[in-house]
């Protein structure tokens, strides 16, 4: 099996919280571009979620619970480009 081991204070969501605090923004103003199960905590923090693709069943399951998340109509780099255009 695969595991990720890291300190409790690390992670993408904690990094995003730190950056939001530094720039004086809130999670309601934040967007996440993500595609993997290790991104879900970050995605849940941000008000807007954009997926260039769905890479794991755990992401697909969470997506069903988060109808406001957007999934690209294209795969690969074109999907990433499509989601970046929506963010901007």
């Amino acid at each position: 099996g695969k595991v990720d081991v890291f300190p409790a204070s690390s992670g993408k969501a904690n990094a995003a919280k730190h950056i939001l605090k530094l720039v004086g923004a809130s999670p309601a103003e934040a967007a996440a571009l993500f595609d993997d199960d290790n991104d879900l905590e970050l995605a849940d923090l941000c008000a807007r979620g954009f997926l260039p693709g769905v890479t794991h069943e755990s992401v697909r399951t969470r997506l069903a619970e988060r109808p406001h998340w957007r999934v690209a109509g294209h795969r690969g780099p074109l999907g990433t480009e499509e989601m970046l255009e929506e963010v901007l």
Side-chain angles (χ1 to χ4, degrees):
K2 297 178 187 178
V3 296
D4 288 330
V5 179
F6 52 88
S9 61
S10 68
K12 296 175 184 181
N14 284 335
K17 288 175 189 175
H18 178 72
I19 292 168
L20 289 170
K21 184 177 178 181
L22 283 176
V23 300
S26 73
E29 300 169 280
L33 180 67
F34 64 99
D35 68 349
D36 207 342
D37 59 352
N38 68 350
D39 301 324
L40 292 175
E41 187 178 353
L42 170 65
D44 283 336
L45 172 70
C46 299
R48 299 175 66 198
F50 299 91
L51 294 94
V54 177
T55 58
H56 289 89
E57 191 57 37
S58 59
V59 176
R60 189 175 315 286
T61 299
R62 191 74 61 88
L63 178 61
E65 301 166 358
R66 308 289 192 283
H68 61 282
W69 286 357
R70 297 268 301 122
V71 179
H74 298 92
R75 304 201 89 197
L78 290 177
T80 301
E81 183 177 342
E82 178 184 343
M83 293 295 93
L84 287 171
E85 287 177 3
E86 285 207 33
V87 171
L88 299 175

